[in-house]
Amino acid sequence: MNLLFALPETPSVPVTGEDARFPVRRIFCVGRNYEAHARELGNAVDREAPIWFTKAPAALCHSGATIPYPPATANCHYEMELVAAIGAPAFRVSPEAALDVVLGYACGLDMTRRDLQNAAKAKGYPWDTGKDFENGAVIAPITRAAAFGPIGTQRITLSQNGAMKQDASLAEMIWPLPELIADLSQMYHLAPGDLIYTGTPAGVGAVAPGDVLEGMVEGLEPVRLTIGPAA
Ligand code: MN
């Protein structure tokens, strides 16, 4: 194909113990999926429908990176999340069949320019600038679903400079993963390469240059991120 200019390679994520990497097609994220977190941001908790937003694959950032403190914000937050990696097509799947399309899981950080997100929310505007920015979707290597086992009461935690800030159980999700995939698949033809960030527990907070974040889900490789000076 004759292209006017070259683009960066397709972003991809390592898979633990394998040579081949997981190429990233789309990044879906769900908001307010843990009750205590919804409350801490002053939101009502309901089960009307999951709240979806997206990040571009260009926002992907690998665990272990040092990133510049993001531009245009004075209140950049971490949000520790379980990420599901989709490995098979799914359209209008039932919750019962939904986990069949999950290739694996990873620890991820949904970095958020909270000031921009809050300003957008207040006006009923889209969240894009608050959520979809360079290095805003941090991800650790993917562990195959079979090796991880069923999602149950695994602990999900985040420490900031060694201090525990988020500490919850995957069982606390308002929308369990099968229901998230079933809902998303009503609106999109999910396909291999799609990632789903499944929401964050309570305890989100601001980062500052020099911070070291470490997020863990029992049974997965941890996600680590260092915040450098502003670009
Ligand atoms: Mn989030």
Side-chain angles (χ1 to χ4, degrees):
M1 199 190 307
N2 187 20
L3 299 174
L4 281 173
F5 49 85
L7 286 176
E9 270 182 39
T10 300
S12 63
V13 184
V15 179
T16 300
E18 302 182 25
D19 289 335
R21 297 167 66 95
F22 179 92
V24 176
R25 181 168 183 261
R26 291 178 294 191
I27 302 174
F28 298 99
C29 309
V30 68
R32 298 176 208 166
N33 201 29
Y34 290 78
E35 193 172 332
H37 168 64
R39 281 214 204 87
E40 77 181 344
L41 293 187
N43 297 305
V45 176
D46 65 53
R47 271 186 53 96
E48 269 180 30
I51 300 160
W52 293 105
F53 59 94
T54 58
K55 299 196 182 206
L60 205 74
C61 172
H62 294 290
S63 176
T66 297
I67 64 164
Y69 186 88
T73 181
N75 195 20
C76 182
H77 277 204
Y78 56 77
E79 293 190 357
M80 174 60 200
E81 310 203 355
L82 173 73
V83 183
I86 301 298
F91 184 58
R92 294 180 180 157
V93 290
S94 66
E96 292 71 28
L99 292 183
D100 294 346
V101 305
V102 176
L103 180 145
Y105 301 100
C107 288
L109 297 170
D110 164 19
M111 301 303 289
T112 301
R113 296 194 280 214
R114 190 73 69 202
D115 39 4
L116 298 190
Q117 185 201 18
N118 285 343
K121 276 164 76 175
K123 294 183 173 179
Y125 291 170
W127 292 6
D128 299 47
T129 59
K131 286 291 194 180
D132 184 7
F133 55 95
E134 290 101 349
N135 299 311
V138 190
I139 191 163
I142 292 167
T143 295
R144 287 270 181 181
F148 180 66
I151 295 176
T153 57
Q154 291 95 338
R155 213 172 151 201
I156 177 168
T157 59
L158 181 124
S159 69
Q160 181 179 29
N161 306 322
M164 191 72 78
K165 298 292 185 176
Q166 295 188 280
D167 189 354
S169 156
L170 295 182
E172 293 172 41
M173 284 190 209
I174 295 170
W175 295 92
L177 184 60
E179 293 189 57
L180 289 178
I181 292 172
D183 184 67
L184 193 58
S185 79
Q186 306 303 309
M187 297 179 281
Y188 297 91
H189 290 77
L190 296 181
D194 290 338
L195 294 175
I196 302 175
Y197 282 63
T198 60
T200 196
V204 300
V207 301
D211 277 1
V212 177
L213 305 173
E214 184 176 58
M216 305 183 84
V217 171
E218 272 181 282
L220 299 180
E221 295 200 32
V223 60
R224 294 192 180 87
L225 185 71
T226 301
I227 311 296

